[in-house]
Amino acid sequence: MNVSQTCKIEITKSLVSKINAVDFENLSFGSVFTDHLFECDFKNGEWQQPVIKPYAPFLLDPSSRVFHYGQAIFEGMKAYKDGSDAIWLFRPDENFKRFNKSAVRMAMPEVPEEIFMSGLNQLLQLDKAWVKKGSGNAMYIRPFMIATGGGVIANPSTEYKFMIILSPVTSYYSGEVKVLIAEHYSRAANGGIGAAKAAGNYAAQFFPTNLANKAGFQQVIWTDDATHTMLEEAGTMNVFFRINDTLLTAPVSERILDGVTRKTLIDLAKSENINLEIRPVLVSELIEASKNGTLKEIFGSGTAAVVSPIAGFSFQDIYYELPKIENTVALQLKNKLTSIQNKLEEDKFGWTVKI
């Protein structure tokens, strides 16, 4: 994919950088942002002049349709700096394609590749000092689009704002994760927007996740909306199960997000000759495997944490503890992936793209 600076962008540089006030050793994930942002508006049926300007709040009309009808989508990406100070993106083509897939599903305009990639490239070049070297360090990238057209009639907006903001991050560690398998609430339904990275998907998860938190669990493993018998995602991540020496994960669908980390781990597992099956995984199958000792691992996969091991799960008020094992498949795949992302290992797949 071409991430060169082919699109002319108006750039207004920040007069004073915030970087010296940031404690890079103690970053709270997604709470600190760089000096600049990228912005491009859609009006009168076409994309306007893209700009990069100092990071700052902006005004919206109270009737902007993002507030009333929820037209909002986003992506999550990362950039890494290698030992030679070069900056690399990881599979940006996949994020770009998924962003526009989400846009189409939410009746929003697709963002041209030239605007998306040039904006990302030039923004990272401008704020490259914020990308730190070293294991665990990265720049979290948040492209997003919102409906800015005014009016409270229930129609799609005719105006939109596409933006990219950057947030430096360190290793994501959430501690021991215990999950509750959903018996009533669902993340998404057939015919809905589960396959889109739409803001509303995440808002709808907050209430059942809060209920799980109050019961002593950190996350929810979502089940299918019709029968609640099939395991689908874990919190905001795709989810993998290891039964005996076989890795299992559900196929993507209208309900399940096509995660970039998920598909990367699938390819890595195949390259490492790990037995892998992409098929529906039943709650009953998981419980039986836990009871007979064949359930070895459960882990989530996503951009933020990369891989998040799960210590145990609860279903119908019964808690099932996973065994404590060394040299897990989760750790093996995570180490392989992060080594490629940080250019510590050869990228045989062509996933990394230099800025």
Side-chain angles (χ1 to χ4, degrees):
M1 164 161 275
N2 182 15
V3 294
S4 62
Q5 302 179 34
T6 58
C7 180
K8 182 174 176 55
I9 299 173
E10 291 183 1
I11 298 178
T12 302
K13 294 185 178 180
S14 176
L15 296 177
V16 179
S17 177
K18 305 173 292 186
I19 194 168
N20 291 330
V22 176
D23 181 359
F24 284 91
E25 300 299 320
N26 295 286
L27 292 170
S28 176
F29 191 93
S31 62
V32 174
F33 297 93
T34 65
D35 291 322
H36 302 89
L37 57 78
F38 173 85
E39 179 180 279
C40 190
D41 290 319
F42 183 88
K43 294 180 180 180
N44 302 317
E46 60 184 16
W47 289 98
Q48 306 299 303
Q49 172 65 51
V51 301
I52 290 176
K53 61 185 185 180
Y55 185 100
F58 58 93
L59 294 175
L60 285 178
D61 191 289
S63 71
S64 294
R65 297 193 191 189
V66 64
F67 299 135
H68 304 275
Y69 303 112
Q71 279 184 291
I73 61 172
F74 67 93
E75 272 298 322
M77 311 167 64
K78 279 182 179 177
Y80 306 85
K81 183 176 282 185
D82 67 17
S84 301
D85 289 333
I87 298 173
W88 298 82
L89 292 169
F90 186 77
R91 308 190 77 173
D93 54 326
E94 294 291 343
N95 293 103
F96 169 72
K97 289 186 291 187
R98 190 172 65 182
F99 189 86
N100 278 338
K101 181 180 177 181
S102 297
V104 170
R105 182 61 183 86
M106 299 299 288
M108 304 169 84
E110 295 182 69
V111 176
E113 180 179 329
E114 184 183 41
I115 290 177
F116 189 103
M117 290 300 170
S118 293
L120 179 54
N121 186 311
Q122 295 186 50
L123 183 61
L124 281 168
Q125 290 281 14
L126 191 59
D127 283 344
K128 61 185 178 182
W130 291 75
V131 189
K132 299 301 182 181
K133 291 186 289 189
S135 178
N137 293 325
M139 180 65 75
Y140 185 80
I141 303 164
R142 173 53 61 90
F144 65 99
M145 180 162 53
I146 58 173
T148 54
V152 294
I153 185 171
N155 286 333
S157 177
T158 58
E159 297 183 1
Y160 298 87
K161 186 180 291 291
F162 169 60
M163 304 182 75
I164 305 174
I165 55 178
L166 306 176
S167 178
V169 294
T170 56
S171 295
Y172 188 98
Y173 177 71
S174 57
E176 188 174 80
V177 177
K178 297 180 178 181
V179 298
L180 186 67
I181 294 181
E183 300 177 54
H184 172 71
Y185 295 102
S186 298
R187 176 190 173 274
N190 285 331
I193 59 172
K197 207 160 174 66
N201 285 341
Y202 296 79
Q205 294 182 35
F206 293 158
F207 175 69
T209 302
N210 283 345
L211 293 179
N213 294 162
K214 291 176 181 177
F217 300 92
Q218 286 70 49
Q219 281 294 352
V220 175
I221 289 187
W222 307 104
T223 50
D224 68 289
D225 64 298
T227 67
H228 294 290
T229 60
M230 292 183 289
L231 299 155
E232 301 203 320
E233 293 193 11
T236 59
M237 300 180 290
N238 295 114
V239 63
F240 289 81
F241 310 90
R242 179 186 161 203
I243 296 179
N244 283 321
D245 290 323
T246 300
L247 205 57
L248 308 172
T249 192
V252 294
S253 66
E254 289 182 302
R255 304 185 306 274
I256 299 177
L257 190 71
D258 188 8
V260 178
T261 305
R262 170 190 175 275
K263 64 178 60 178
T264 300
L265 294 182
I266 288 171
D267 288 344
L268 286 175
K270 291 176 180 177
S271 73
E272 296 292 301
N273 296 315
I274 296 170
N275 293 328
L276 174 77
E277 294 181 11
I278 301 173
R279 63 168 177 79
V281 183
L282 300 177
V283 177
S284 58
E285 181 181 6
L286 192 69
I287 291 172
E288 179 59 29
S290 180
K291 288 180 177 178
N292 65 29
T294 57
L295 178 62
K296 306 300 183 183
E297 299 179 61
I298 306 175
F299 57 91
S301 69
T303 300
V306 183
V307 168
S308 182
I310 291 170
F313 67 92
S314 179
F315 182 70
Q316 294 183 345
D317 297 323
I318 300 174
Y319 182 70
Y320 301 86
E321 187 86 22
L322 268 72
K324 300 288 191 297
I325 57 178
E326 296 182 359
N327 302 318
T328 63
V329 169
L331 184 60
Q332 178 184 343
L333 293 177
K334 181 177 182 178
N335 288 341
K336 188 81 174 177
L337 174 51
T338 55
S339 292
I340 294 173
Q341 290 172 329
N342 287 283
K343 307 303 288 183
L344 300 174
E345 185 174 321
E346 182 185 359
D347 176 14
K348 298 178 181 180
F349 302 89
W351 289 331
T352 52
V353 180
K354 191 175 183 179
I355 285 293

